[in-house]
Amino acid sequence: MSVITTSPLPLPPSANSKYFGSFGREVRGVDLEIATDDQLEEIQELLYKHSALLFKNQKVSPEAQYKLTKVFDPSSESYGHGNNKTGGEKKSILHPDLKTIPRTPQVQLIGNGMVYDHEGLAASKLKHPHHSTFHKTRVSDEDEAAGFTRFYRWHIDAALYDLSPPKVTTLYALGVPKGEAQTLRYDDGTGDELPVPLGTTAFVSGATMFDILSPEEKSLVVRMKVRYAPHPYVWMSSAAALPTGLGLVSEGKEVPLDELPPWTEDKVKTFPALWKNPVTGGLHLQIHPSAVRSLHISPLPAAVERKEGQLYPEGGEVTNLEEVRKIVYGLQRPGISPELVYPHDWEEGDMVLFHNRGVLHSVVGAFTEDQVRIFHQCNLAGSSDPVGPDEEDVKKWA
């Protein structure tokens, strides 16, 4: 049996290597279709240490992808949004993007274009999400033709209502259309741009996003919890996103709570702003910016000296949606700066695993109808909710 070896991911010139010391590894020496239990255990350890793993030249069945994903949460059975649920709620913004593979309902077919006779699906019309369907503004047709694009939506893979967030997502590329690279614009007044491969998936580290915060911001997030909207993907369906894809514009267009599908308060999710890594013990800033509805902040511990500039030293609740989004955006925007983004350059046979409780990611780019892209995605609703900072973490960072 070959020995598993790793090497750093090939970073693009736009990435600042000082922020990628531990983030991302290419893994060699394992065939994921027939991986042994020992190999899968080693892969699990590697993922928590490095947040994203790349396996090249793989041929992986839906069953093997499900098995690989399940290693990280053995008691989980359901796809992250519920098996066969992706098309059940037509108002959800996720509805057009996912097709369930019949014999392995935990695995979803995603991509672009018409796909025929694929894993029990006779004909599937796939649509790569385009920012024009979600953002308040869009790149003009002329600029798009010239190769300009945007992040679509920065997010965590999670239902954020009733079900707990998956621990890992696996993405497998079966068909990758070739095309010219694009230039991603942030369009937020900063002038930030990022060269990206066509149809890249962009990743940022939640650990880095936390590490680069100011001491005052770290004190805030270590004490902060985030409450999400019920049925958040329906709730946000009438709203529009910022040009960075990092949250929504506050215009009062969210679906009113009494017009959502039936919901109960006990299934609404409230999570810590920081999620603790089960292997490294590190803290990752993990907030789904488009789904946030309110913030709940504990007061500074009694032993912590009150200083000028501290944020919410007495704690409190922030329920004004515009203010909630302003706070979250201020915390997350530095972490998606061009030098901190890993835009993966997909090739057929690539399998990427990412720690869904440790990174944020975004779809990027645009395809024409004749550019057929075929991917399999799998994540499993967690058997428990994420763990937040412990008492020692609060003492250290508050």
Side-chain angles (χ1 to χ4, degrees):
M1 184 187 302
S2 58
V3 176
I4 289 180
T5 61
T6 67
S7 60
L9 292 175
L11 296 177
S14 57
N16 188 333
S17 59
K18 80 174 186 177
Y19 293 110
F20 288 88
S22 62
F23 181 90
R25 291 294 184 270
E26 182 177 341
V27 183
R28 300 182 181 88
V30 59
D31 180 344
L32 293 176
E33 182 68 20
I34 56 172
T36 66
D37 290 344
D38 286 346
Q39 288 175 322
L40 293 173
E41 185 175 342
E42 187 172 350
I43 289 168
Q44 184 179 21
E45 185 90 359
L46 285 170
L47 185 71
Y48 285 128
K49 288 180 178 178
H50 301 295
S51 295
L53 302 178
L54 167 63
F55 302 79
K56 303 289 292 182
N57 302 312
Q58 297 288 320
K59 292 185 177 180
V60 183
S61 64
E63 291 83 357
Q65 185 170 355
Y66 171 45
K67 178 183 176 182
L68 170 65
T69 311
K70 193 175 171 66
V71 165
F72 291 84
D73 204 345
S75 61
S76 292
E77 299 286 347
S78 167
Y79 177 63
H81 294 267
N83 292 345
N84 294 312
K85 295 288 181 64
T86 53
E89 179 47 70
K90 304 300 184 187
K91 293 181 180 178
S92 170
I93 61 172
L94 302 181
H95 168 65
D97 303 337
L98 302 164
K99 308 292 181 187
T100 297
I101 292 179
R103 73 174 190 275
T104 316
Q106 298 84 359
V107 179
Q108 309 300 315
L109 171 65
I110 62 176
N112 191 73
M114 286 300 304
V115 177
Y116 299 98
D117 298 321
H118 183 84
E119 301 291 357
L121 294 167
S124 300
K125 186 176 183 179
L126 306 178
K127 184 68 174 175
H128 185 78
H130 190 285
H131 75 270
S132 65
T133 66
F134 187 56
H135 289 198
K136 174 70 174 175
T137 63
R138 62 157 297 176
V139 172
S140 69
D141 290 339
E142 294 78 12
D143 283 355
E144 188 164 276
F148 290 97
T149 191
R150 285 182 182 173
F151 298 119
Y152 175 64
R153 177 174 61 245
W154 286 104
H155 66 286
I156 304 160
D157 287 337
L160 299 173
Y161 174 77
D162 190 17
L163 302 172
S164 297
K167 295 181 178 179
V168 64
T169 293
T170 58
L171 272 178
Y172 176 46
L174 292 91
V176 179
K178 299 302 178 184
E180 295 295 323
Q182 297 183 307
T183 298
L184 186 147
R185 294 197 319 222
Y186 286 62
D187 283 338
D188 62 348
T190 63
D192 279 351
E193 293 186 343
L194 178 69
V196 292
L198 177 67
T200 183
T201 307
F203 299 95
V204 293
S205 164
T208 300
M209 191 175 278
F210 173 62
D211 288 343
I212 64 175
L213 294 178
S214 69
E216 293 79 13
E217 291 168 326
K218 288 177 178 175
S219 172
L220 173 63
V221 294
V222 81
R223 296 180 284 120
M224 190 168 82
K225 292 187 176 181
V226 177
R227 190 160 180 81
Y228 291 99
H231 298 294
Y233 303 101
V234 180
W235 174 76
M236 71 176 76
S237 62
S238 301
L242 296 164
T244 54
L246 192 70
L248 303 178
V249 180
S250 294
E251 301 177 290
K253 293 185 176 181
E254 294 75 22
V255 175
L257 298 186
D258 60 359
E259 296 180 18
L260 293 173
W263 63 276
T264 56
E265 197 68 42
D266 61 307
K267 293 182 178 180
V268 174
K269 289 295 187 180
T270 300
F271 295 134
L274 299 177
W275 296 1
K276 197 171 186 68
N277 188 303
V279 170
T280 69
L283 298 173
H284 302 250
L285 182 58
Q286 292 294 110
I287 302 173
H288 191 313
S290 297
V292 176
R293 194 159 162 264
S294 62
L295 304 176
H296 304 261
I297 304 159
S298 298
L300 286 169
V304 175
E305 179 185 356
R306 266 59 172 174
K307 298 177 182 177
E308 186 177 350
Q310 288 172 322
L311 303 172
Y312 295 91
E314 306 306 324
E317 293 190 7
V318 185
T319 57
N320 178 281
L321 199 48
E322 186 172 2
E323 183 64 19
V324 168
R325 288 171 174 161
K326 181 180 178 182
I327 292 170
V328 171
Y329 191 85
L331 295 168
Q332 292 188 310
R333 175 58 178 87
I336 67 162
S337 297
E339 65 176 353
L340 302 183
V341 177
Y342 171 67
H344 183 62
D345 192 358
W346 289 101
E347 295 181 342
E348 291 180 13
D350 283 359
M351 174 73 83
V352 170
L353 281 65
F354 62 90
H355 180 203
N356 187 55
R357 296 185 175 189
V359 305
L360 269 69
H361 66 288
S362 177
V363 171
V364 179
F367 292 105
T368 59
E369 287 188 11
D370 61 345
Q371 289 178 307
V372 179
R373 173 181 166 105
I374 307 171
F375 277 54
H376 287 173
Q377 180 217 59
C378 184
N379 56 61
L380 302 175
S383 56
S384 60
D385 283 344
V387 174
D390 58 28
E391 189 175 341
E392 290 305 311
D393 293 321
V394 176
K395 287 181 182 177
K396 179 177 181 180
W397 299 112

